[in-house]
Every structure is written in structure tokens, then in C-alpha cells.
Amino acid sequence: MTENSGLPTPTPATTLETEPFWEAAAEGRFVLPRCNSCEHVIWYPRLFCPECGSTDVSYVDAAGTGTVYSFTVVEKGQGRWRDHSPYVLAYVELDEGPRMMTNIVGVDPDAVAIGAAVQAVFDPGKDGGAVIRFTLQ
Amino acid sequence: MSISGAAHIAGVYEHPGRNLPDVTVPQIHAAVAKGALDDAGLTFDDVDAYYCAGDAPGFGGLSMADYLGLNCREIDSTETGGSSYLVHARHAAASIAAGHIDVALITLAGKPRTGGRGPGGSMASSAPESSFESLFGLNVIAGYALAAQRHMHEFGTTSEQLAEIKVAASIHAQHNPNAFLSDPVTIDEVVESPMIARPLHRLDACVITDGGGALVMVSAETAAKLTRQTCPVLGTGVGVETTNRGRIDLTRTGAVVSGPAAFAEAGVTPADIDYASIYDSFTITVLITLEDLGFCEKGQGGGFVSDGALQAGGQLPFNTDGGGLCNNHPANRGGMTKVIEAVRQLRGEAHAEVQVADCELALAHGTGGSLATRMGSATLILGRGN
């Protein structure tokens, strides 16, 4: 699902380790790095397993669903975010286990609560890329 | 090898300035170094080890060691944000205990008020996590708000309980002529101040000040030759809390490691502490740290800080200089001033209105980085000495 939130969506800096994540996002797919040795689902994306030390890591499809672990409604943003306040900064706990930093978009900030079920959306940026944010299910 | 008692803090100095438009950052480093050495009764020629963090301009510690004209046989520029100076103190104490060095100088200085953003304000774009944390409007207070919101959810902590922490700091700050904010505030004034990032208000946040501070640590043998009262380093601890392999716990800090290590090394318990300097970038930082250090059970911090427990005369007097919340947060780094006020208390040199009677054992704690991502925590336990 594509959701143009209107939030700042600069082109992310990519590395050899993270290119597969961002290329998938641009295609509307949410992938997560997973350790082929211990099956730990890794966050943030990298080609190293912090759980077991393995470098045998592959990107696999994520369900794209999870729950809000914590959030804040930022009333006074800074820099380019100043004009987008209030916005919701959150940690989402993915069904696969990782807790990832993101925004909750497309909803009234007052409707967001810890434990609420969320669904990933692809927020299009410049250059054909996309940032993964979440909306309430 | 225990380092307990091998090293003493012999000199401390906090720059009185809070707005310093007309001096450079190296000048402030030099001024606070001179102040701490004067306090100890030592000179720059006595220094044989130098410690600084990312606020020091130049190449690691080398530029400032050169600027100050030091002759060093040890140098350390460990960077853990605002807790760096307590990590340095632990490293210096260990080097003194090992006989490698005799007189260590630790300095902090910066000008986030009048000289542009302080160091550490934005994470280096080369950090491997950068693209996964920089796209979502994270700023310093918003990160701590994530921790506060989760703590409230799990344990029922309230904004009024967080406000108690600011109130205590403000009551202390009224006696500090150098404090950036010197007016006492009430719980209502804190919770009615502008909301910045729910649930944190403007008055839940520390001040932004120019300034700096320095410590001089010496061997027990050298301490015995000085006329100034020196405070033995009884216990030290460092803890690094990361995003926990992708499963971050927003309700814990590195103090769960640094605290027990420091208490064990000192051979004391939280109940023995007469005075505590607790890093106070935000009110929530104090509350979670008190739990992690063992002053109360996890989740009970809200009850612990209520009813003036942190005020002078309360159960655990804290940050009697006004702390980072009211007095001073030079270079956006509050660790140095935590140690300085602990030494003032042990020497009986805090303001009379906030001096802890017969203060024999003090704790100083630093938190660097962010509760919302990764942090370095450091704890020192200091004795009164003579």
C-alpha cells in the first residue's frame, strides 16, 4: 500500500549492506535481513547477525504488520520537521520480532496508542524511492 | 585488582559562565583546567595524563594536550556523550591504581548557546544505523519522550511524578547564583508548560548553556601530600545499552550494569548513599536511572521521587546545584557537573541551604547517547576523604 504522508521523505543514504532493503522498498516490498545460521531477524538492516556473529544473512519478505511499542506526538518538530508538527514518531514491534523506528501516518495522532495494530505503508520520496511508515490497521 | 581508594579527586572546577560569546572553546577548556588544578594545589606541569571527549576541538585528545602544553604518558578520548567524563574518571582511576600515571586532568567545554550546535547534536551520517533513524523526525526530546511514554504504559508513571524531579532541581537552583534558571517551579507549572513531544513538556528538559568543567584525579600518595581535602574513588562502573540486537527496551539504561559494578567495587549499597548526582537531560532520565541503580524497584521510580524525596532534606537529595535541568548543561553534556557537585557535597562546600549533613558517601552518574537508541552509562562512588 502506498501512502503519501506529506512528511519529509529524503532519499536515504544506502550502503552495500542496505541496498537490497531500499531497492525492495522502492518496489513496494518490505524485506528484512534474516540470519541463515540462527534465524534471527535482524534490525537495523546489516549483513552481520548481532545475535550469533554470522555473516550469512539474506533478505526475506516481511509480513508488514506489527504493534506500536512506543510513540510520541511531536508537537514542536525541529528543522525541516517544524512545519509538519504534530507528527507521530514511533517504535513498531514487527510480527517478526524487531522493534523499528518509524512514523505512524494517515491517522489522527490522538488515535495512536501503545499496543495498537499497524500496517506498513510505502511513502514515496524523490528519485523513485520509498520510506516505510505505518498506519493503524 | 580493585582500584577502590587508589585514586582521589583532588580538584574540581565548574566554569561560572552560562553565556560565553567572547571566548573560544579551547579557552574554556584551558580555564576550567586551570581552575581544577588551582583547586587541587597543582600545576599544569604536574599533569601526566589527559582525558577529553568529542567536545574538545581537534584530533582526539592530541590537539588540546598540545594547546595546554601538557607532557602526557597517558591519553584517552573515549566518547560516550555526556557520560564520557565519568568513563574517563574510571579509566584514570585504573591507570593510577596500576601505577601508570599520577595526576590525571579531565576537561569539558562547549558553546551550544552562543557558538552554534554543540557536539553530538547530530549523529554522524556515516553511522551504520543512520538511514534507519534519521528519516522520521527523531530529535533529542522526542527520543526521550518515546522512553517516557513506554515507562508510563508499563508502570503507570505520571507527568506529575516526572515534574517532581524538575521541582526538586529548581528548589536547589535558587541557591546557586550561577544557575541558568534560578526560580523555583511547581508541579503545575511543569505540566502546564508547552508540550514539546508528548508526554514531555518544555520544563521536563534540561537547559542549554555554554561553559565547562574539569576534574583532577591523583594517586593516594600524591593526595596525602596536598593540603586540600581529596575524595577517594571507591567504586566505578560503565554500562553500554544498545538497541539490543533489534529488540530495544526503552525502560532500561546502562545503569543496570554500571550501578551494580560501582556498588560492588565500593562495597556499599544504594541505602548507604548520602547524596546522588543523577544525570538529568530530562526528568525521565532521572526516574529510570534511579530504578536501574537500585534506589527503588524497576517501575517504582514514580513513587520514589514523589513527596520531595529528591529535595535537600529528603530521602535522597539529588543535584543540589540545580543540575542540568536548572543550573548548567555545558556543551549539552551533563556528566562533568555531576561529579563536581558530588565533590562539593563531600567537602561540605555545597550551598548551606542544600548541604547534606555529614555527607560521607556520594554517587555521581552519567548517561550519554540516547535512551531512545544506544547509550553509555557510567557511575562513580566517592568517599569524603580528608
Side-chain angles (χ1 to χ4, degrees):
Chain A
M1 182 166 45
T2 297
E3 165 94 31
N4 195 327
S5 70
L7 294 176
T9 307
T11 303
T14 66
T15 71
L16 291 173
E17 292 184 76
T18 63
E19 268 171 9
F21 177 89
W22 294 111
E23 286 174 358
E27 298 167 2
R29 292 186 300 118
F30 184 7
V31 296
L32 288 166
R34 180 175 167 278
C35 176
N36 291 316
S37 179
C38 76
E39 302 185 349
H40 183 76
V41 179
I42 297 162
W43 191 260
Y44 54 90
R46 51 201 190 264
L47 297 183
F48 175 83
C49 176
E51 183 70 16
C52 75
S54 172
T55 54
D56 184 8
V57 173
S58 301
Y59 280 93
V60 299
D61 286 330
T65 49
T67 57
V68 175
Y69 170 69
S70 193
F71 73 100
T72 176
V73 180
V74 182
E75 302 282 1
K76 297 186 191 308
Q78 297 173 4
R80 75 180 104 175
W81 287 80
R82 188 181 303 270
D83 296 334
H84 296 276
S85 307
Y87 59 90
V88 182
L89 172 72
Y91 266 111
V92 163
E93 181 171 308
L94 301 173
D95 289 347
E96 291 85 358
R99 291 170 180 164
M100 67 176 283
M101 190 178 290
T102 187
N103 299 115
I104 309 297
V105 297
V107 297
D108 180 348
D110 289 333
V112 178
I114 289 177
V118 292
Q119 166 77 48
V121 295
F122 298 90
D123 199 346
K126 291 174 284 188
D127 309 325
V131 168
I132 296 178
R133 295 184 163 118
F134 288 79
T135 192
L136 297 180
Q137 280 186 26
Chain B
M1 179 187 76
S2 171
I3 65 171
S4 191
H8 290 228
I9 295 181
V12 298
Y13 184 78
E14 179 184 3
H15 199 291
R18 304 292 181 265
N19 288 284
L20 300 169
D22 300 324
V23 293
T24 66
V25 172
Q27 282 180 295
I28 305 172
H29 276 276
V32 296
K34 178 75 162 53
L37 287 164
D38 284 350
D39 184 46
L42 295 167
T43 72
F44 282 101
D45 284 343
D46 295 311
V47 174
D48 63 358
Y50 178 61
Y51 301 76
C52 64
D55 55 274
F59 183 50
L62 296 180
S63 296
M64 283 312 305
D66 186 29
Y67 181 103
L68 296 170
L70 302 176
N71 291 305
C72 296
R73 47 183 170 159
E74 180 67 283
I75 194 162
D76 180 356
S77 55
T78 297
E79 173 64 279
T80 60
S83 59
S84 300
Y85 320 94
L86 291 95
V87 179
H88 298 157
R90 172 174 152 106
H91 293 177
S95 284
I96 287 170
H100 294 162
I101 63 170
D102 186 47
V103 177
L105 170 67
I106 309 171
T107 66
L108 155 78
K111 300 178 42 167
R113 268 208 95 67
T114 62
R117 253 200 113 95
S122 61
M123 294 300 150
S125 61
S126 62
E129 70 275 9
S130 176
S131 287
F132 303 97
E133 296 174 2
S134 64
L135 302 175
F136 307 110
L138 173 66
N139 58 49
V140 178
I141 190 170
Y144 284 73
L146 290 171
Q149 189 93 282
R150 184 69 198 182
H151 200 278
M152 289 178 166
H153 173 78
E154 287 193 32
F155 305 115
T157 307
T158 68
S159 290
E160 286 74 16
Q161 289 170 334
L162 291 177
E164 289 260 15
I165 295 164
K166 171 73 173 189
V167 168
S170 76
I171 286 172
H172 299 156
Q174 69 181 316
H175 305 296
N176 181 347
N178 296 324
F180 186 76
L181 300 175
S182 56
D183 293 334
V185 297
T186 64
I187 291 174
D188 285 348
E189 285 172 323
V190 177
V191 300
E192 288 166 11
S193 67
M195 188 70 83
I196 307 297
R198 295 185 211 169
L200 296 182
H201 309 79
R202 176 170 292 154
L203 292 186
D204 285 299
C206 63
V207 299
I208 295 174
T209 48
D210 297 347
L215 307 177
V216 174
M217 190 184 292
V218 303
S219 66
E221 293 72 28
T222 295
K225 297 173 193 161
L226 300 174
T227 55
R228 189 74 160 111
Q229 179 182 344
T230 65
C231 299
V233 179
L234 302 178
T236 68
V238 168
V240 177
E241 178 78 7
T242 68
T243 56
N244 190 28
R245 303 174 180 179
R247 278 72 173 161
I248 190 169
D249 182 347
L250 287 172
T251 67
R252 63 178 247 155
T253 72
V256 297
V257 175
S258 70
F263 283 115
E265 190 165 58
V268 301
T269 71
D272 297 320
I273 299 296
D274 298 312
Y275 164 80
S277 284
I278 305 291
Y279 200 97
D280 56 348
S281 46
F282 298 92
T283 52
I284 186 65
T285 319
V286 176
L287 190 141
I288 295 180
T289 301
L290 288 168
E291 296 173 350
D292 289 348
L293 290 173
F295 286 103
C296 60
E297 294 293 314
K298 175 51 69 182
Q300 301 301 307
F304 182 83
V305 303
S306 294
D307 304 321
L310 299 180
Q311 296 176 25
Q315 184 181 347
L316 182 70
F318 104 122
N319 298 9
T320 43
D321 60 336
L325 288 170
C326 295
N327 170 31
N328 195 10
H329 200 238
N332 299 326
R333 291 157 172 259
M336 178 66 77
T337 46
K338 297 293 162 292
V339 183
I340 293 171
E341 182 66 5
V343 171
R344 288 194 196 108
Q345 280 286 352
L346 291 164
R347 286 171 163 176
E349 295 176 358
H351 190 282
E353 294 292 328
V354 296
Q355 175 67 47
V356 174
D358 201 25
C359 186
E360 292 185 355
L361 204 56
L363 176 146
H365 182 83
T367 307
S370 173
L371 265 61
T373 55
R374 54 202 63 76
M375 82 192 80
S377 298
T379 309
L380 297 182
I381 295 173
L382 306 173
R384 180 158 63 183
N386 51 41

